């Protein structure tokens, strides 16, 4: 299947799914963006100290936050509990709390168009129940903050030609 090279319209931000352990996480309603930043290091050369050279330094990957409506699904809680087991050293395999997470973004036709992999993710914050308010008319949300070591785009995933809006003109 060839990739769509004529796409003009951006993808919608509500067309996404998250999966880990090969299974999509049901009910996910929101995810913060993937962000990477690289520190700048200044360096001056002897004899040419008028101008500072700027070099790339360490790269940092920002944590992401996942939100889902509270249901009987225990996927978030089960994963968060693995970190607690790690902290108490009660597990035989201490690496079980890390997972590779996949973010899939879909086009308007519901066909996967982009995919990103987050590697060696683990639950840093877990909020089981939000602030509760009997007079509110809101959905109860559970929140998980994931730390991870790096992300990369899965270049094997491409939007198929003819399945998305075409460039006009």
């Amino acid at each position: 299947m060839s990739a769509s090279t004529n796409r003009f319209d951006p993808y919608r931000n509500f067309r996404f799914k998250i999966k880990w352990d090969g299974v999509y996480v049901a009910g996910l309603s929101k995810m913060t963006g993937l962000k990477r930043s690289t520190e700048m290091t200044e360096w001056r050369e002897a004899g040419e100290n008028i101008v500072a050279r700027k070099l790339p330094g360490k790269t940092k990957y920002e944590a992401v936050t996942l939100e889902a409506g509270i249901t009987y699904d225990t996927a978030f809680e089960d994963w968060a509990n693995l970190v607690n087991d790690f902290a108490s050293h009660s597990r035989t395999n201490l690496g079980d709390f890390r997972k590779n997470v996949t973010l899939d973004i879909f086009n308007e036709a519901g066909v996967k168009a982009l995919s990103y992999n987050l590697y060696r993710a683990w639950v840093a914050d877990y909020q089981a129940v939000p602030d509760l308010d009997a007079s509110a008319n809101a959905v109860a949300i559970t929140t998980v903050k994931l730390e991870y070591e790096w992300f990369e785009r899965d270049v094997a995933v491409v939007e198929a030609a003819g399945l998305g809006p075409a460039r006009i003109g």
Side-chain angles (χ1 to χ4, degrees):
M1 194 180 303
S2 63
S4 174
T5 57
N6 295 323
R7 183 173 183 92
F8 180 73
D9 294 333
Y11 297 109
R12 306 294 180 137
N13 71 349
F14 60 87
R15 292 261 191 197
F16 69 98
K17 292 182 182 178
I18 296 291
K19 69 180 170 184
W20 61 69
D21 296 337
V23 177
Y24 285 112
V25 179
L28 193 66
S29 59
K30 188 174 181 181
M31 176 181 169
T32 58
L34 296 178
K35 182 179 177 185
R36 158 181 77 214
S37 59
T38 302
E39 294 176 359
M40 183 273 300
T41 303
E42 284 193 3
W43 170 70
R44 293 189 181 270
E45 185 176 338
E48 295 205 18
N49 59 359
I50 295 171
V51 177
R53 309 278 187 218
K54 294 185 178 186
L55 302 171
K58 294 184 259 182
T59 298
K60 176 174 82 170
Y61 292 85
E62 300 284 331
V64 294
T65 301
L66 311 178
E67 294 181 3
I70 294 177
T71 66
Y72 284 111
D73 184 357
T74 62
F76 284 151
E77 184 176 2
D78 293 344
W79 189 9
N81 287 341
L82 291 177
V83 175
N84 288 343
D85 287 346
F86 169 76
S88 67
H89 303 291
S90 63
R91 297 186 57 82
T92 55
N93 184 357
L94 298 179
D96 285 347
F97 71 95
R98 294 184 185 271
K99 296 182 182 291
N100 294 331
V101 176
T102 301
L103 163 64
D104 289 332
I105 299 172
F106 298 83
N107 66 15
E108 293 81 356
V111 176
K112 184 167 41 172
L114 297 169
S115 190
Y116 288 86
N117 295 307
L118 289 70
Y119 295 102
R120 297 180 47 82
W122 55 278
V123 178
D125 290 327
Y126 172 65
Q127 179 178 317
V129 178
D131 294 340
L132 300 173
D133 181 354
S135 65
N137 189 22
V139 173
I141 299 291
T142 185
T143 305
V144 174
K145 179 180 171 185
L146 300 181
E147 293 288 349
Y148 57 96
E149 294 186 4
W150 79 97
F151 71 82
E152 65 183 1
R153 184 173 175 173
D154 184 347
V155 295
V157 175
V158 294
E159 181 180 36
L163 294 178
R167 181 182 297 266
I168 297 174

